[in-house]
Amino acid sequence: MENKIMDIAVIGSNMVDLIAYINRMPAEGETIEAPDFKMGCGGKGANQAIAAAKLGAEVLMLTRVGNDIFADNTIENFRQNGIDTRYIFKSDASSGVAPIFVDPESRNSIIIVKGANKLLSPADIETAAEDIKKCKLIVLQLEIPTETVYAAVKFGEKHGIPVLLNPAPAQPDLVLEHVKSCEFIVPNETELSLLTGMPVDNEDDIRNAAAALHQAGVKNVIVTLGSKGALWLNQNGEEQMFPSHKVNARDTTGAGDAFIGCFSHVYVKTGDIAQAIKTANFYAGDSVTRLGTQSSYHDRAEFVADYPEQADFV
């Protein structure tokens, strides 16, 4: 892969998902039985990279794993999905883990232990710099240190590479001034509220908060709204609403990452932001009909078989 032009550089996290399917959360001091459990590879950065790669994108992953039993399995999972693993570094720390609890209504609660993800540094970006420069899009999240996120944004700006920031999980210490040069910021409602300090209690609130983010200097603001779809404010401040793809949800874990991964792939392939949002809505909606995170993401052939009208875009 040394001389290969890559589509997307994902600079972000990896986690081991520990998913318990529960009837209810236990009370304090209570032990209850859960009917099912699954373990898989996750983390927002890894999920987004895997989704894009499954759809056919050439993806470089910059991340850190620990020195435990999870590390090699995580690296092998990236490799099996066709991702460039040269910049997955081992650290003297635990790997990141994410205990996830999913109830019968497919609602989820997640705890993350960042582990080695906390050690991903601006110096790691410099180590991978020559290959990141070959990429057409940089994708970021907030499960790594904010100083590394800021360094990646500056790197993209310096080298003319568009940057997509998914400001998740929401971080109150994120400084908008350091990320406003991103081509895309893609928050959900909670993250939008934290970024702007504004309420998001209804559609008008969401529009006003998105407009404030755009007025602060962000070219494209895409707010993911779950079952309500997505709102896009383009670089001219014009808004467009994209309805979701209606499905019977079984497990919403990782749906936002499916959206980001698919959007990134379609945008890099076509340059069409509106189409990328439309296709990403289909892909994210499709993913929630199956259990798990990465395991719920269809590859290109599977996705096109179910949605043949999307074949020209993925």
Side-chain angles (χ1 to χ4, degrees), residues 112-276:
I112 64 169
V113 181
K114 291 185 178 180
N117 293 295
K118 292 190 293 186
L119 303 178
L120 192 68
S121 70
D124 293 327
I125 296 173
E126 291 306 312
T127 300
E130 290 307 309
D131 287 295
I132 298 174
K133 287 177 189 177
K134 301 173 186 176
C135 295
K136 302 168 187 172
L137 180 69
I138 295 171
V139 176
L140 303 168
Q141 322 76 32
L142 298 181
E143 289 179 335
I144 59 174
T146 51
E147 66 173 3
T148 307
V149 172
Y150 300 153
V153 173
K154 285 183 180 178
F155 184 95
E157 190 174 12
K158 178 180 178 181
H159 297 287
I161 306 167
V163 176
L164 183 156
L165 172 63
N166 172 218
Q171 297 283 354
D173 63 341
L174 184 73
V175 179
L176 184 57
E177 183 69 23
H178 295 330
V179 298
K180 69 180 184 180
S181 66
C182 290
E183 185 76 21
F184 304 98
I185 290 187
V186 189
N188 64 19
E189 293 151 280
T190 302
E191 295 147 7
L192 177 64
S193 180
L194 199 59
L195 270 173
T196 61
M198 298 172 67
V200 289
D201 298 327
N202 54 54
E203 288 187 14
D204 286 340
D205 284 350
I206 293 168
R207 287 188 171 92
N208 290 335
L213 199 54
H214 177 266
Q215 289 161 10
V218 180
K219 290 181 183 177
N220 293 279
V221 181
I222 301 169
V223 186
T224 56
L225 302 169
S227 62
K228 292 177 286 187
L231 173 69
W232 171 36
L233 261 69
N234 68 18
Q235 58 186 4
N236 298 318
E238 300 160 342
E239 68 175 47
Q240 188 172 349
M241 188 70 191
F242 296 82
S244 66
H245 171 52
K246 302 304 180 186
V247 296
N248 292 319
R250 296 183 65 199
D251 182 359
T252 59
T253 310
D257 296 330
F259 180 96
I260 299 269
C262 180
F263 172 88
S264 299
H265 166 60
V266 177
Y267 170 71
V268 165
K269 182 177 179 179
T270 69
D272 187 333
I273 298 172
Q275 185 59 58

Side-chain angles (χ1 to χ4, degrees), residues 50-160:
I50 294 290
K54 280 191 168 186
L55 288 170
E58 298 288 347
V59 181
L60 176 154
M61 186 76 200
L62 174 58
T63 192
R64 281 192 172 271
V65 296
N67 58 359
D68 48 33
I69 60 173
F70 296 129
D72 289 339
N73 182 63
T74 295
I75 295 171
E76 182 59 24
N77 179 63
F78 283 124
R79 188 175 291 120
Q80 287 180 0
N81 282 283
I83 289 174
D84 185 338
T85 61
R86 287 174 297 150
Y87 300 107
I88 300 178
F89 302 121
K90 287 191 174 182
S91 305
D92 188 17
S94 68
S95 293
V97 295
I100 301 170
F101 306 92
V102 183
D103 73 10
E105 283 73 48
S106 80
R107 296 172 299 197
N108 62 69
S109 300
I110 304 173
I111 300 169
I112 64 169
V113 181
K114 291 185 178 180
N117 293 295
K118 292 190 293 186
L119 303 178
L120 192 68
S121 70
D124 293 327
I125 296 173
E126 291 306 312
T127 300
E130 290 307 309
D131 287 295
I132 298 174
K133 287 177 189 177
K134 301 173 186 176
C135 295
K136 302 168 187 172
L137 180 69
I138 295 171
V139 176
L140 303 168
Q141 322 76 32
L142 298 181
E143 289 179 335
I144 59 174
T146 51
E147 66 173 3
T148 307
V149 172
Y150 300 153
V153 173
K154 285 183 180 178
F155 184 95
E157 190 174 12
K158 178 180 178 181
H159 297 287

Side-chain angles (χ1 to χ4, degrees), residues 47-57 81 254 258 261-262 265 282-307 314:
N47 291 345
Q48 293 167 17
I50 294 290
K54 280 191 168 186
L55 288 170
N81 282 283
C262 180
H265 166 60
F282 273 96
Y283 191 72
D286 178 66
S287 75
V288 305
T289 65
R290 292 175 293 278
L291 300 180
T293 45
Q294 294 173 18
S295 60
S296 73
Y297 301 161
H298 268 169
D299 63 23
R300 185 187 184 280
E302 293 167 326
F303 181 58
V304 169
D306 288 342
Y307 304 98
V314 294

